[in-house]
Amino acid sequence: MHSTEICRPVLIRNSLHVLQVILMLTKLFDFNLNSVTESSLWRSTDYGTTYQKLNEKVGTKTILSYLYVSPNNKRKIMLLTDPEVESSLLISSDEGATYQKYRLSFYILSLLFHPEQEDWILAYSHDQKLYSSVEFGRRWQLVHERVAPNRFYWSKTGLDKEPGLIHLETIISEGQALYVTCKLQNCTEANKGKPFPGYIDPNSLVVQDEYVFVQDLHVISTDENRVVAAVQEWNQNDTYNLYVSENGGVFYTLALENVVSSMGHEGNVMIDLYEVAGIKGMFLANKKMDNVVKTYITYNRGRDWRLLQAPTADLRGNSIRCELPYCSLHLHLHVSANPYTSGNIESKDSAPGIIVASGSIGAELTTSNVSMFITSDAGNTWRQIFDEEYSVLYLDQGGALVAIRHTPLPIRHLWMSFDEGRQWNKYSFTMSPLFVDGLLGEPGEETLIMTIFGHVSHRSEWQLVKIDFRSIFNRRCTEGDYQTWHLHNRGEPCIMGVKRIYRKLKPIARCVMGKTYSVTMTSAPCDCTEADFECDYGYERRSDGKCTPAFWFLPSSMSRSCTTGTTFINSTGYRKVVSNNCTAGVIAEYTARRQHCPTQAPKGLHLVTSEGKLTATLGTNVTFLVFLEEGDGARTSIMVDFGDGHALTYSNVSSIEDGVKHVYKAVGIYRVTATGENSLGSESVVLYLHVTCQLEYIHLSAPFVAVKSKEVNLTAVLWPSQVGTVTYIWWFGNNTEPIITLEGSVACTFSQEGVNTVTVQVSAGNAILQDRKTIAVHEYSRSHLLAFSSNLDDHNPDVAEWRLDVSRVIKNSMVKATGVSPEQLLVTVLPGLPTAAEVFLLPDKELTEGKPEKNSLSEILLSALNQNLVQFTLRPGVQVTVYAAHLSAAPLVDTSENHSGSAMLMLLSVVVLGLAIFVVYKFKRYSKWLISLNFLRILLSRHFLCPQMKCQSAFRHYQYLAL
């Protein structure tokens, strides 16, 4: 029989009693039966030194499933039985010493204790019914049917009118739900409240502090009258966007995009966001970008985020080369749902600045090569402490740390540090190795006692090891053992508008702080800077750091409720970060201003460029002028949308009399819009601006050989690739009429054999450039790719003249090795490395029936190549062998009548690179070709690669009901 025991210990510490009680529920799970077959209840009254088994007091055959302690009276205990055996509960009022059993008519799935009334409990059943009890479970009354799971909440004193009010979400249909309130003992239709008049999103009701949410989102925090919520946008699967609210919890702005999420064991969504204990406004988050997850840190509640600097050395003192932003430290941010095992990250209010977490170093967060890291200065610098995962317990308010290795193997040692993780001492906690299942610490931050529980083997009884660390310390701390520590962010002492100085234990001190120690902090306000303000509702932070209106938001809409003669609050686009205590400085510049309401709707709005043109050059300043014929210009806001994702808003027309300047970073036709709006109306005007840049070079990409009456593709490549509106003019042979297109490629056929000339002219703005190519047209042709011995790459400068010379040498070598007529071979070396070439097999003009001999000619050539007969001397001592490149079972290109396609396949980027290198070779003959090559590769990456587009997400039109 394969089985294992599950343990749930609970420590009961009552301030009125010196007695400290631990209750522990153990369950034996049979994997063959897939169920719990036995349970045992244990009780200790000497804090884990000895335990008494209470199975006889609860029933020897009773199988217990859950253990609860009243949050308002630790003497009251509730035990639930396994509903598959019986549906009962056992109640104790003497800290678990004695019990009374009560039968239930329903199966309890979850319990919710009242935050203040010790006997009030809500119970949720397996059939979606909600029950209430005001006698600590001795009697139950049905509250409501068809209640959504985990969507019921107790009222809160000072926020609700009645203390016995219950907030709950009821299920109407598969896609509809209602938010209702009920009285505890009288939830009839007449007494129901409906705070929200319509339907709400299913599984969306959240009641937390003074807020009630009826939209589908995950509320992370409502601390200090500020809501932090995670919302999954339509284009997200495993990530969420993080939003923060103003003081009212109604208006939200984007704080961080694409925060990683995962599913918990109970199907709940877990967001990779961690609020650091002991330091207000400090968070860590894992963000996914380009399919890579990285860890970011903020010190001002999400206003600014940055990567973590990796440690400079590993455990063995070896230097770690990790440069931002390409390499950084990444942390796992999951907090353990089990209170008896450590999560991936730990911090304590009593030990500000100390964070212990598991993670990895590199370009992204990984689950392999996981190590343990610690910081003593709130994330500015980190040290590696273990190269495996460990559970870490804070002792004596952070004055000491205990670490136990995460391993499925039995262990007998633990590690302890007295200097914030700089050095670790090894201690043995048991004589026999133990499979560790969890840790239990003494309540309170000053704990110096811990209990380790586990098994000697998978079939053995529980083993508990109580460890008292007080004997390790030989004295209590004195004032000389403490030091001051300045909180900072990369040397910047002003965080959240203040300079904070903490009193903490010196790393070299080895003493007991005890219960008398408390964290003390002194602070002094700083002058306000832009960094103390976040984007206000409706505004988004651009790449330059400025807050500008989102595409969906019109700032003037905030004054629509205005009436003539009154005033309204006009946002500057910024608001001070909640809990930020800065003073003076730029506070007047960034704080919202009270303004008079408009008296006349805008009329006669004009938008022109300062030069009166509808064209502009890429990268230069374009000045737009905005005029208003009628309307109160001083009370009308003007928004200018430049059409490229950027916009500016001005509170009045007079402030933009000198024009609005903007620089476009890409060519194209932009729709520029100016909108004037006040509470009495609005007006818009549109201008279409053509942004162009100078055309420098063109290159005609065409095959060397074409088959008669077979279609070939011709492509004109521009440098730079985007220059605005372009016209292409194509000339074929001696034709007097060209073909004109707006696309850079055409398809054509040649009806006669011989040499044909193709010319393309490109007209862009005032510039016209052209390029010409000759194409050999034959009845049929066949081609093979060629490869070379690797020594040729060492001498390949990758310029056109060199490729032409080598092509002639290869052709001569093939003629010499095969005896084939030179007129039947055409060789061209392709641009790029490694060196490659293509050989074309042409028909013999002297044969009246030329087609039958093409296969034998191909076989002769391939035979010579396979026998390494085709060789040439590049220079003395450099002998090069030519091979057939066997990329596939068939030739790369076959242009006989039984095949279609061009006689040559060329990659566009390779052709452009060859053109660019040819220009350097021709006009900068005396410069080093390697430097030119590298430089042009950089240019190509800028001009020919399509820029990555970034989607800006907006939290638009989400409405919440805030009570």
Side-chain angles (χ1 to χ4, degrees), residues 221-323:
S221 171
T222 56
D223 187 29
E224 296 182 316
N225 296 325
R226 170 188 169 115
V227 179
V228 179
V231 177
Q232 192 166 53
E233 308 284 359
W234 63 270
N235 60 335
Q236 294 176 305
N237 293 320
D238 57 352
T239 61
Y240 281 71
N241 287 347
L242 199 65
Y243 290 89
V244 294
S245 76
E246 34 61 79
N247 288 340
V250 176
F251 299 108
Y252 291 76
T253 54
L254 182 65
L256 188 65
E257 293 180 286
N258 296 319
V259 180
V260 175
S261 67
S262 60
M263 297 299 295
H265 295 296
E266 299 180 358
N268 57 313
V269 176
M270 300 193 306
I271 310 296
D272 269 21
L273 178 74
Y274 180 76
E275 183 173 6
V276 178
I279 300 178
K280 290 291 185 182
M282 185 176 172
F283 290 85
L284 291 159
N286 284 330
K287 178 180 179 179
K288 187 176 185 180
M289 184 170 57
D290 298 330
N291 292 321
V292 172
V293 178
K294 297 176 181 286
T295 301
Y296 291 81
I297 189 172
T298 179
Y299 293 87
N300 51 13
R301 287 187 174 272
R303 160 63 171 81
D304 300 291
W305 298 85
R306 66 170 173 83
L307 295 168
L308 298 178
Q309 178 64 61
T312 57
D314 61 14
L315 280 174
R316 298 158 189 82
N318 300 319
S319 178
I320 298 178
R321 298 179 62 86
C322 187
E323 298 294 332

Side-chain angles (χ1 to χ4, degrees), residues 94 118 143 150 202 298 348 381 409-410 468 480 486 567 627 644 712 813:
D94 53 8
E118 62 183 60
V143 177
N150 300 317
T298 179
K348 295 292 183 182
T381 60
L409 302 176
D468 191 339
H486 297 250
T567 61
F627 303 97
D644 61 349
V712 296
S813 301

